[in-house]
Every structure is written in C-alpha cells, then in structure tokens.
Amino acid sequence: MNIERLLAAEIGECAGKLHTGRSRNDQVALDLHLYLRDELQQIMSALHELQNVLLTQAKAHTNTLFPGYTHLQRAQPINFAHHLMCYVAMFMRDLQRLQDLWRGLIACR
C-alpha cells in the first residue's frame, strides 16, 4: 500500500492498478527482489574498495611486526601485512557469496 501511494504521487491513478493480478506476498517478494538488486551492487562495490585499501596497507607494512594471538592470548610476533591479508581473504569469501546471490537474483527475472 505504501509503494502504491508513493508510485501514485509520481505517475498518478495508473498506480492503482499495481496490485492487479498479484497478491500482497507477490508484491512484497518483488519489492524485496528489486531492493536487493540495487543494494547488493553497492555492498559488493564497498567490499571491493575495502579490499583495495587493505591491500595498500599490507604493502606499506610488510616489515611491521604485530603481536599474533591464539585463543585470545598473545602468541609469537607476526607480520602485520599477513594479518591484514587474512581480512582480505575473509572479505573475498564474503564477496563470492554475494556474487552467488547476485547471480541468483539475476536468474529469476
């Protein structure tokens, strides 16, 4: 109903026919689908930018030592670049999952 009202403000009475042949569940599913398509692109782009920043910082800190941790206790010193690259790898996994979701969204047009 909210979407119909917003659409009516833009295109007029024609928005009243939006519900024709669709249940509320169908409309909600379509709205969510369209919302995810837009938002997913932005999230993937932001993740990619974050990875680039982490890579730049890793290159700058190849000789910087950092306290490694295991079971929340300090362990042997590690290279800070390696620590940053762990996050790059984690975000790559997340990006791949989001790309799989994107392919699924595009496939069910």
mmCIF file of all heavy atoms in Angstrom, residues 21-47:
data_model
loop_
_atom_site.group_PDB
_atom_site.id
_atom_site.type_symbol
_atom_site.label_atom_id
_atom_site.label_comp_id
_atom_site.label_asym_id
_atom_site.label_seq_id
_atom_site.Cartn_x
_atom_site.Cartn_y
_atom_site.Cartn_z
ATOM 1 N N GLY A 21 -3.745 -8.669 -10.260
ATOM 2 C CA GLY A 21 -3.179 -9.989 -10.559
ATOM 3 C C GLY A 21 -2.045 -10.401 -9.634
ATOM 4 O O GLY A 21 -1.396 -11.406 -9.870
ATOM 5 N N ARG A 22 -1.833 -9.648 -8.567
ATOM 6 C CA ARG A 22 -0.758 -10.004 -7.640
ATOM 7 C C ARG A 22 -1.263 -9.943 -6.207
ATOM 8 O O ARG A 22 -1.971 -9.038 -5.819
ATOM 9 C CB ARG A 22 0.419 -9.036 -7.769
ATOM 10 C CG ARG A 22 1.157 -9.186 -9.041
ATOM 11 C CD ARG A 22 2.502 -8.551 -8.916
ATOM 12 N NE ARG A 22 3.272 -8.870 -10.118
ATOM 13 C CZ ARG A 22 4.251 -8.159 -10.555
ATOM 14 N NH1 ARG A 22 4.623 -7.091 -9.915
ATOM 15 N NH2 ARG A 22 4.904 -8.513 -11.640
ATOM 16 N N SER A 23 -0.828 -10.907 -5.436
ATOM 17 C CA SER A 23 -1.155 -10.873 -4.015
ATOM 18 C C SER A 23 -0.169 -9.947 -3.308
ATOM 19 O O SER A 23 0.839 -9.529 -3.881
ATOM 20 C CB SER A 23 -1.039 -12.280 -3.428
ATOM 21 O OG SER A 23 0.319 -12.695 -3.435
ATOM 22 N N ARG A 24 -0.459 -9.652 -2.052
ATOM 23 C CA ARG A 24 0.472 -8.825 -1.277
ATOM 24 C C ARG A 24 1.815 -9.532 -1.146
ATOM 25 O O ARG A 24 2.856 -8.906 -1.190
ATOM 26 C CB ARG A 24 -0.100 -8.539 0.100
ATOM 27 C CG ARG A 24 -1.159 -7.488 0.077
ATOM 28 C CD ARG A 24 -1.521 -7.070 1.494
ATOM 29 N NE ARG A 24 -2.857 -6.510 1.456
ATOM 30 C CZ ARG A 24 -3.778 -6.709 2.369
ATOM 31 N NH1 ARG A 24 -3.517 -7.463 3.403
ATOM 32 N NH2 ARG A 24 -4.957 -6.160 2.261
ATOM 33 N N ASN A 25 1.777 -10.854 -0.980
ATOM 34 C CA ASN A 25 3.032 -11.608 -0.864
ATOM 35 C C ASN A 25 3.860 -11.479 -2.144
ATOM 36 O O ASN A 25 5.082 -11.343 -2.082
ATOM 37 C CB ASN A 25 2.757 -13.081 -0.571
ATOM 38 C CG ASN A 25 2.273 -13.304 0.836
ATOM 39 O OD1 ASN A 25 2.433 -12.444 1.694
ATOM 40 N ND2 ASN A 25 1.683 -14.454 1.084
ATOM 41 N N ASP A 26 3.196 -11.548 -3.301
ATOM 42 C CA ASP A 26 3.909 -11.377 -4.566
ATOM 43 C C ASP A 26 4.531 -9.990 -4.659
ATOM 44 O O ASP A 26 5.662 -9.832 -5.110
ATOM 45 C CB ASP A 26 2.969 -11.575 -5.760
ATOM 46 C CG ASP A 26 2.564 -13.013 -5.966
ATOM 47 O OD1 ASP A 26 3.263 -13.908 -5.435
ATOM 48 O OD2 ASP A 26 1.550 -13.241 -6.655
ATOM 49 N N GLN A 27 3.793 -8.983 -4.239
ATOM 50 C CA GLN A 27 4.308 -7.618 -4.296
ATOM 51 C C GLN A 27 5.493 -7.436 -3.352
ATOM 52 O O GLN A 27 6.495 -6.811 -3.711
ATOM 53 C CB GLN A 27 3.203 -6.625 -3.940
ATOM 54 C CG GLN A 27 2.152 -6.501 -5.022
ATOM 55 C CD GLN A 27 1.041 -5.551 -4.635
ATOM 56 O OE1 GLN A 27 1.049 -4.968 -3.562
ATOM 57 N NE2 GLN A 27 0.076 -5.396 -5.515
ATOM 58 N N VAL A 28 5.400 -8.001 -2.155
ATOM 59 C CA VAL A 28 6.499 -7.893 -1.197
ATOM 60 C C VAL A 28 7.731 -8.618 -1.734
ATOM 61 O O VAL A 28 8.855 -8.103 -1.653
ATOM 62 C CB VAL A 28 6.089 -8.455 0.183
ATOM 63 C CG1 VAL A 28 7.290 -8.602 1.103
ATOM 64 C CG2 VAL A 28 5.040 -7.551 0.822
ATOM 65 N N ALA A 29 7.535 -9.791 -2.315
ATOM 66 C CA ALA A 29 8.660 -10.543 -2.873
ATOM 67 C C ALA A 29 9.322 -9.758 -4.003
ATOM 68 O O ALA A 29 10.560 -9.704 -4.091
ATOM 69 C CB ALA A 29 8.192 -11.907 -3.370
ATOM 70 N N LEU A 30 8.531 -9.152 -4.869
ATOM 71 C CA LEU A 30 9.080 -8.357 -5.966
ATOM 72 C C LEU A 30 9.820 -7.136 -5.437
ATOM 73 O O LEU A 30 10.922 -6.826 -5.887
ATOM 74 C CB LEU A 30 7.966 -7.914 -6.921
ATOM 75 C CG LEU A 30 8.411 -6.993 -8.052
ATOM 76 C CD1 LEU A 30 9.358 -7.734 -8.988
ATOM 77 C CD2 LEU A 30 7.214 -6.463 -8.808
ATOM 78 N N ASP A 31 9.234 -6.449 -4.473
ATOM 79 C CA ASP A 31 9.883 -5.262 -3.898
ATOM 80 C C ASP A 31 11.214 -5.631 -3.249
ATOM 81 O O ASP A 31 12.212 -4.930 -3.416
ATOM 82 C CB ASP A 31 8.980 -4.594 -2.866
ATOM 83 C CG ASP A 31 7.722 -4.007 -3.490
ATOM 84 O OD1 ASP A 31 7.726 -3.805 -4.726
ATOM 85 O OD2 ASP A 31 6.755 -3.765 -2.761
ATOM 86 N N LEU A 32 11.222 -6.725 -2.514
ATOM 87 C CA LEU A 32 12.453 -7.171 -1.875
ATOM 88 C C LEU A 32 13.502 -7.550 -2.919
ATOM 89 O O LEU A 32 14.677 -7.223 -2.778
ATOM 90 C CB LEU A 32 12.170 -8.364 -0.954
ATOM 91 C CG LEU A 32 13.326 -8.866 -0.117
ATOM 92 C CD1 LEU A 32 13.872 -7.757 0.771
ATOM 93 C CD2 LEU A 32 12.898 -10.053 0.723
ATOM 94 N N HIS A 33 13.061 -8.191 -3.975
ATOM 95 C CA HIS A 33 13.954 -8.578 -5.071
ATOM 96 C C HIS A 33 14.611 -7.337 -5.694
ATOM 97 O O HIS A 33 15.825 -7.285 -5.884
ATOM 98 C CB HIS A 33 13.154 -9.357 -6.113
ATOM 99 C CG HIS A 33 13.941 -9.802 -7.282
ATOM 100 N ND1 HIS A 33 14.542 -11.033 -7.360
ATOM 101 C CD2 HIS A 33 14.233 -9.177 -8.448
ATOM 102 C CE1 HIS A 33 15.174 -11.147 -8.509
ATOM 103 N NE2 HIS A 33 14.990 -10.033 -9.191
ATOM 104 N N LEU A 34 13.810 -6.335 -6.001
ATOM 105 C CA LEU A 34 14.323 -5.111 -6.609
ATOM 106 C C LEU A 34 15.236 -4.356 -5.650
ATOM 107 O O LEU A 34 16.277 -3.826 -6.058
ATOM 108 C CB LEU A 34 13.169 -4.219 -7.062
ATOM 109 C CG LEU A 34 12.311 -4.772 -8.191
ATOM 110 C CD1 LEU A 34 11.093 -3.884 -8.433
ATOM 111 C CD2 LEU A 34 13.122 -4.937 -9.456
ATOM 112 N N TYR A 35 14.864 -4.322 -4.382
ATOM 113 C CA TYR A 35 15.692 -3.656 -3.380
ATOM 114 C C TYR A 35 17.053 -4.340 -3.269
ATOM 115 O O TYR A 35 18.092 -3.677 -3.248
ATOM 116 C CB TYR A 35 14.969 -3.668 -2.032
ATOM 117 C CG TYR A 35 15.815 -3.157 -0.894
ATOM 118 C CD1 TYR A 35 16.021 -1.803 -0.702
ATOM 119 C CD2 TYR A 35 16.419 -4.055 -0.010
ATOM 120 C CE1 TYR A 35 16.803 -1.329 0.334
ATOM 121 C CE2 TYR A 35 17.205 -3.591 1.032
ATOM 122 C CZ TYR A 35 17.393 -2.243 1.201
ATOM 123 O OH TYR A 35 18.168 -1.791 2.224
ATOM 124 N N LEU A 36 17.054 -5.672 -3.197
ATOM 125 C CA LEU A 36 18.306 -6.414 -3.076
ATOM 126 C C LEU A 36 19.206 -6.214 -4.284
ATOM 127 O O LEU A 36 20.421 -6.130 -4.141
ATOM 128 C CB LEU A 36 18.028 -7.906 -2.881
ATOM 129 C CG LEU A 36 17.638 -8.330 -1.481
ATOM 130 C CD1 LEU A 36 17.294 -9.815 -1.454
ATOM 131 C CD2 LEU A 36 18.738 -8.026 -0.492
ATOM 132 N N ARG A 37 18.618 -6.151 -5.468
ATOM 133 C CA ARG A 37 19.440 -5.943 -6.670
ATOM 134 C C ARG A 37 20.206 -4.636 -6.583
ATOM 135 O O ARG A 37 21.379 -4.568 -6.921
ATOM 136 C CB ARG A 37 18.562 -5.970 -7.920
ATOM 137 C CG ARG A 37 18.244 -7.364 -8.359
ATOM 138 C CD ARG A 37 17.429 -7.451 -9.609
ATOM 139 N NE ARG A 37 17.672 -6.415 -10.594
ATOM 140 C CZ ARG A 37 16.946 -6.239 -11.664
ATOM 141 N NH1 ARG A 37 15.919 -7.035 -11.894
ATOM 142 N NH2 ARG A 37 17.212 -5.285 -12.514
ATOM 143 N N ASP A 38 19.548 -3.589 -6.115
ATOM 144 C CA ASP A 38 20.215 -2.287 -6.002
ATOM 145 C C ASP A 38 21.250 -2.280 -4.878
ATOM 146 O O ASP A 38 22.381 -1.833 -5.071
ATOM 147 C CB ASP A 38 19.182 -1.182 -5.741
ATOM 148 C CG ASP A 38 18.280 -0.936 -6.931
ATOM 149 O OD1 ASP A 38 18.672 -1.330 -8.058
ATOM 150 O OD2 ASP A 38 17.194 -0.368 -6.751
ATOM 151 N N GLU A 39 20.859 -2.763 -3.722
ATOM 152 C CA GLU A 39 21.737 -2.712 -2.558
ATOM 153 C C GLU A 39 22.943 -3.636 -2.707
ATOM 154 O O GLU A 39 24.039 -3.317 -2.263
ATOM 155 C CB GLU A 39 20.966 -3.072 -1.284
ATOM 156 C CG GLU A 39 19.965 -2.029 -0.871
ATOM 157 C CD GLU A 39 20.606 -0.688 -0.554
ATOM 158 O OE1 GLU A 39 21.589 -0.657 0.208
ATOM 159 O OE2 GLU A 39 20.106 0.327 -1.069
ATOM 160 N N LEU A 40 22.747 -4.784 -3.310
ATOM 161 C CA LEU A 40 23.828 -5.759 -3.460
ATOM 162 C C LEU A 40 24.980 -5.190 -4.280
ATOM 163 O O LEU A 40 26.146 -5.413 -3.948
ATOM 164 C CB LEU A 40 23.280 -7.029 -4.110
ATOM 165 C CG LEU A 40 23.943 -8.330 -3.756
ATOM 166 C CD1 LEU A 40 24.107 -8.511 -2.269
ATOM 167 C CD2 LEU A 40 23.164 -9.488 -4.332
ATOM 168 N N GLN A 41 24.664 -4.452 -5.315
ATOM 169 C CA GLN A 41 25.709 -3.829 -6.127
ATOM 170 C C GLN A 41 26.542 -2.861 -5.279
ATOM 171 O O GLN A 41 27.766 -2.824 -5.385
ATOM 172 C CB GLN A 41 25.099 -3.080 -7.316
ATOM 173 C CG GLN A 41 24.561 -3.990 -8.378
ATOM 174 C CD GLN A 41 25.689 -4.643 -9.175
ATOM 175 O OE1 GLN A 41 26.798 -4.858 -8.722
ATOM 176 N NE2 GLN A 41 25.379 -4.979 -10.399
ATOM 177 N N GLN A 42 25.886 -2.078 -4.458
ATOM 178 C CA GLN A 42 26.595 -1.116 -3.612
ATOM 179 C C GLN A 42 27.447 -1.817 -2.569
ATOM 180 O O GLN A 42 28.577 -1.401 -2.299
ATOM 181 C CB GLN A 42 25.601 -0.176 -2.940
ATOM 182 C CG GLN A 42 24.895 0.735 -3.915
ATOM 183 C CD GLN A 42 23.863 1.609 -3.241
ATOM 184 O OE1 GLN A 42 23.790 1.696 -2.019
ATOM 185 N NE2 GLN A 42 23.034 2.258 -4.048
ATOM 186 N N ILE A 43 26.929 -2.872 -1.970
ATOM 187 C CA ILE A 43 27.683 -3.610 -0.953
ATOM 188 C C ILE A 43 28.905 -4.267 -1.569
ATOM 189 O O ILE A 43 30.004 -4.208 -1.000
ATOM 190 C CB ILE A 43 26.778 -4.656 -0.264
ATOM 191 C CG1 ILE A 43 25.699 -3.951 0.563
ATOM 192 C CG2 ILE A 43 27.598 -5.598 0.605
ATOM 193 C CD1 ILE A 43 24.605 -4.866 1.057
ATOM 194 N N MET A 44 28.745 -4.882 -2.738
ATOM 195 C CA MET A 44 29.878 -5.528 -3.395
ATOM 196 C C MET A 44 30.947 -4.514 -3.777
ATOM 197 O O MET A 44 32.138 -4.762 -3.631
ATOM 198 C CB MET A 44 29.415 -6.335 -4.617
ATOM 199 C CG MET A 44 28.651 -7.587 -4.251
ATOM 200 S SD MET A 44 28.295 -8.716 -5.630
ATOM 201 C CE MET A 44 27.321 -7.716 -6.713
ATOM 202 N N SER A 45 30.527 -3.356 -4.228
ATOM 203 C CA SER A 45 31.468 -2.300 -4.583
ATOM 204 C C SER A 45 32.230 -1.817 -3.351
ATOM 205 O O SER A 45 33.451 -1.634 -3.384
ATOM 206 C CB SER A 45 30.724 -1.137 -5.236
ATOM 207 O OG SER A 45 31.593 -0.090 -5.517
ATOM 208 N N ALA A 46 31.523 -1.631 -2.236
ATOM 209 C CA ALA A 46 32.167 -1.190 -0.998
ATOM 210 C C ALA A 46 33.148 -2.247 -0.483
ATOM 211 O O ALA A 46 34.241 -1.908 -0.015
ATOM 212 C CB ALA A 46 31.111 -0.880 0.063
ATOM 213 N N LEU A 47 32.781 -3.512 -0.580
ATOM 214 C CA LEU A 47 33.690 -4.582 -0.159
ATOM 215 C C LEU A 47 34.947 -4.605 -1.010
ATOM 216 O O LEU A 47 36.054 -4.805 -0.498
ATOM 217 C CB LEU A 47 32.987 -5.942 -0.263
ATOM 218 C CG LEU A 47 32.425 -6.524 1.015
ATOM 219 C CD1 LEU A 47 31.738 -7.850 0.739
ATOM 220 C CD2 LEU A 47 33.453 -6.672 2.081
#
